[in-house]
Amino acid sequence: MDFRRRIIITGGAGFIGSHVVRLFVNKYPDYQIINLDKLTYAGNLANLKDIESAPNYVFEKADICDFDKMLELFRKYNVDGIIHLAAESHVDRSIKDPFTFAQTNVMGTLSLLQAAKLYWESLPEKYEGKRFYHISTDEVYGALEMTHPEGVEAPFTTVASTGKNHCAYGEEFFVETTKYNPHSPYSASKASSDHFVRAFHDTYGMPTIVTNCSNNYGPYQFPEKLIPLFINNIRHRKPLPVYGKGENVRDWLYVVDHARAIDTIFHNGKVAETYNIGGFNEWKNIDIIKVVINTVDRLLGRKEGEDLDLITYVTDRLGHDARYAIDSRKLQAELGWEPSLQFEEGIEKTVRWYLDNEEWLENVTSGDYQKYYDNMYKGR
Ligand code: NAD
Ligand code: TYD
């Protein structure tokens, strides 16, 4: 079959990537979607069970750091677009093992950029109609201060600087021109990869786009991250390790809304631009944890709040950023994207999904999910 476009999505077996792959495979039957993933501990092909037989979907097990393989795949599929999500993504792992983060996030991105450059520059039309879209994080901007008075409870209505009604713990937000100031090895590696992507635009004229998104939550997230880890622990009545005092603030976006934003930006975003993606939805960790506990308890038929005593304050994460808050008004005004879900609805859907998908969680926590590739793909 002749496809209208041929797009590599890296990290498509991971949390956000699997939602992006699903959206593109279903929405664009005339695009060929190539899911390129190394299947590290975070990659799980069971995340894509529902679309794995679609005629416009292909899976390629490969390491983005393998430059020769990247070039081979660009040629094999005559790729005209790349949406790059593959990365090491967990801050706590980056504190223990920064080398892997530099290798995958920096060198892997560079190897993809160089493969795209060599392949696209070899074509008669060169960069015409091509796109290299790099997915980054708000963590590259560093940390914001909490300037709202102590003792005032979120959600605050109407923040003066944005004129919007939303939860916020300060007047300052990350905008697209905020200076990079990463603190963790994870965010330092993402910042470095963002710089390489922009350098390939400025030096070679590659049509690149970078987006920086806030914390995502939703189905298929690896249960080492706050929300799925805590849902799983509450279910099994295991302690909930809250770092420090639980006062740190994160800005949460439902993962499907991130995937929708990626679709909009891939198609309509301006080359060389940066867009911030976020839902104006800040929460202190301790508050979100209480919402999660109450939701799990209610959905399991337990007495609401019964599991609050699982909260266990533990030593703080090293270099723990105080507050992240994204101003996504540029994306909303220029490209018309808006989050589709209110947080209350999103968290209810999320908790329900993890409780309904016990087998997925058990496979992931036991390590059995890594056999999925052998059963489904090896020898094909
Ligand atoms: P994830 O850890 O769930 O998935 C990462 C995927 O990349 C996995 O499937 C893994 O197998 C794959 N991968 C890792 N190293 C690879 C390599 N060398 N070659 C090929 N594939 C490799 O991550 P996620 O949470 O889905 O994040 C995806 C992207 O979005 C990352 O770039 C991350 O920095 C960014 N991001 C994440 C969030 C968030 O809240 N999770 C927020 C903003 C931005
Ligand atoms: P996480 O999901 O790891 O995302 P990120 O570090 O990229 O923001 O953590 C979200 C917040 O929750 C962060 O402030 C750290 C905190 N946290 C805990 O308090 N306990 C935990 O066990 C984890 C995993 C995170």
Side-chain angles (χ1 to χ4, degrees), residues 132-238:
F132 192 111
Y133 178 1
H134 175 65
I135 308 299
S136 191
T137 163
D138 60 358
E139 305 191 23
V140 296
Y141 296 126
L144 295 166
E145 282 185 23
M146 290 193 247
T147 51
H148 278 305
E150 281 274 324
V152 180
E153 290 294 318
F156 303 98
T157 53
T158 316
V159 171
S161 61
T162 67
K164 281 195 153 254
N165 285 334
H166 52 80
C167 308
Y169 283 89
E171 277 292 335
E172 217 192 325
F173 294 84
F174 297 135
V175 289
E176 286 78 1
T177 50
T178 300
K179 263 210 176 124
Y180 275 29
N181 185 19
H183 299 301
S184 72
Y186 164 64
S187 53
S189 67
K190 290 296 290 186
S192 172
S193 66
D194 297 5
H195 291 318
F196 270 106
V197 173
R198 294 191 177 106
F200 268 62
H201 171 268
D202 297 348
T203 309
Y204 309 111
M206 184 179 287
T208 58
I209 289 192
V210 177
T211 57
N212 299 82
C213 188
S214 59
N215 283 58
N216 284 215
Y217 71 98
Y220 301 112
Q221 189 168 29
F222 196 83
E224 63 184 352
K225 305 276 169 69
L226 181 74
I227 292 183
L229 174 73
F230 278 32
I231 295 172
N232 197 33
N233 283 10
I234 300 162
R235 197 167 61 106
H236 294 293
R237 293 216 154 97
K238 291 201 318 217

Side-chain angles (χ1 to χ4, degrees), residues 9 34 47 81 115 144 169 192 223 238 244 273 281 311 313 342:
I9 299 180
I34 303 116
N47 296 357
L144 295 166
Y169 283 89
S192 172
K238 291 201 318 217
E273 289 286 328
N281 178 45
I311 291 176
Y313 292 95
Q342 291 297 315

Side-chain angles (χ1 to χ4, degrees), residues 235-265:
R235 197 167 61 106
H236 294 293
R237 293 216 154 97
K238 291 201 318 217
L240 307 174
V242 179
Y243 299 161
K245 294 184 182 153
E247 297 281 301
N248 304 63
V249 170
R250 297 291 180 265
D251 183 357
W252 295 91
L253 181 70
Y254 192 61
V255 62
V256 174
D257 281 328
H258 188 188
R260 287 175 49 250
I262 290 172
D263 176 24
T264 301
I265 294 161

